[in-house]
Amino acid sequence: MYKVLFTSDYEIHGSGMGSPRELVVEPTTRMLDQFDRYGAKLTIMADIGEILRFKEYAERTGVDRFHHGEIAEQLRRAVRTGHDVQLHVHSSYFNATLDETTGTWKQDWEEYDLASLSYDRLREIIARGKAYLEETCRPASPGYRCFAFRAANWSMHPSPNIVRALADEGFTVDTSVWKYGRYDDLVKFDYTTAHSDLIPWPIDASDVCRRDPSGRLFEFPIYTEQQPLWVFLTANRVYRVVAQRLNPLPAPSVPDPMAGRASPTAPSSFRAKIAGKLGMLLRKHPWKMDFNQCTGKQLIDGLLRVEARYGHPEAPLPFVLIGHSKTFTKHNERILRPFLEYVAAHPDRYGFGTFADFDPERYRDGLASARKPAGRSALAHAAE
Ligand SMILES: [Zn+2]
C-alpha cells in the first residue's frame, strides 16, 4: 500500500513580500476544498517564523493587517476535517522587522541558514513553533500533536544541532531531505548520498543522510527522481520561475529552489554558453515530486515507477509530495485532478494519508524483513 502524502509549504514569498491572504489562505482554501472531494489529505507545513510575526503585529497594533485570524482559523479547519498541520520554520523571520510603507518583512539574514544555528537557538525556535501550533489546533482537535518538521530551504546540513533539537522537543519525523538535492550558497547541503529516495530511515544525528538504527528522528524523504529536464518541464514550472524573478530576495545570490542543484559557474565564451545549455538539457536533474508543478499524468507515472521498483511490502510506503500554496493556481487545480482521481480509483494499492498514519518504528530495521512477494507485478497494474 502506498500512502500519498501531500505536503504544502504554507508561506508568503521568500523575499518577505506579498499578502498572506492571497498567497496562503485563498489557495489553501481551494486546495482543501479540492482534496475533500476525493478524500485526499493535505499536510500544511506552516512557516511559524512569519506566522508569529503576523500574530505579534496584530496584537501590538490592534490591526490584523497580515490576516493572522484567518490563518489560525484555516489551520483549525484543516485538523478538524482530517487534514494535518505540521511545523515548517524560516528562521530568518524570528528577528524580522516590518517596512510599514511597503508591508515587506526585512528578514535577519544572519539567521537564514537554519541548520547552522546553535543548538540552544534551534531548540528555542522549534519549541515556540510547536507550542503555537498545538495551542492553535487543539481547540479544533483535542488529540492534535505537532511531531513532524520541514526545514527552511530544506536545510538539514550540518545535522547535529538540528537533529538533536528536534528529537529533544519530541519530534519523530523530519521531511526535508530530497535525494540527489544539492545547494552550495547561503544554505549548503548535499543529499546525494541520502539513504533512500522513498523509504523512511532512522537518522544518524551526525548526518541526516545516513541511517542509524538507534536514531530518534526518522526521515520521510520528499520523493525525488533524477530525470532529464524535459521529463518534468511544465507550464507551472515556468510560472514559478517567473514568479520568483518578480519577487527576488534582497540578499545576493540565494539558492533558486527551481534549480534543485548548485548553480554551475557561468561559462565565459559563447561556445561554452551553448555547450552549457545543451549539457543542461541532456544532464539528469533531481526533480522533487511537486504537485504544484507536475501534471497529474507526471505524478501518476512517478507513482507507477515507484510501485514497479518497491513492490508492495507489508509496511505501507509514504509517497511524499511537496507543494507551495503560493504557486497553487487554478490551472494547477485542473491538471492535478487526474492524479487525485487515479489514486482514489485504486484503493487496493493506494490511499491518501498524513504522517500520523505511519508507525516510524516499522522502518527502523529497514524493509527487507517486512517484504513479502507481491501477487501481481506493478507493471501489470500499470497497464490498467
Ligand atoms: Zn519554506
Side-chain angles (χ1 to χ4, degrees), residues 9-12 45 47 50 88-90 150-154 324 326:
D9 291 5
Y10 189 85
E11 61 198 20
I12 57 172
M45 304 304 297
D47 171 20
E50 56 193 80
H88 182 43
V89 173
H90 279 269
R150 173 167 297 147
N153 308 297
W154 309 284
H324 288 78
K326 63 192 169 202

Side-chain angles (χ1 to χ4, degrees), residues 3 17-18 21 40 68 145 187 227-228 233 273 294 346 369:
K3 287 263 184 193
M17 285 187 271
R21 181 181 270 161
H68 173 258
R145 280 191 323 117
V187 299
Q227 296 281 9
L233 200 65
K273 272 184 191 162
C294 296
H346 296 86
S369 55

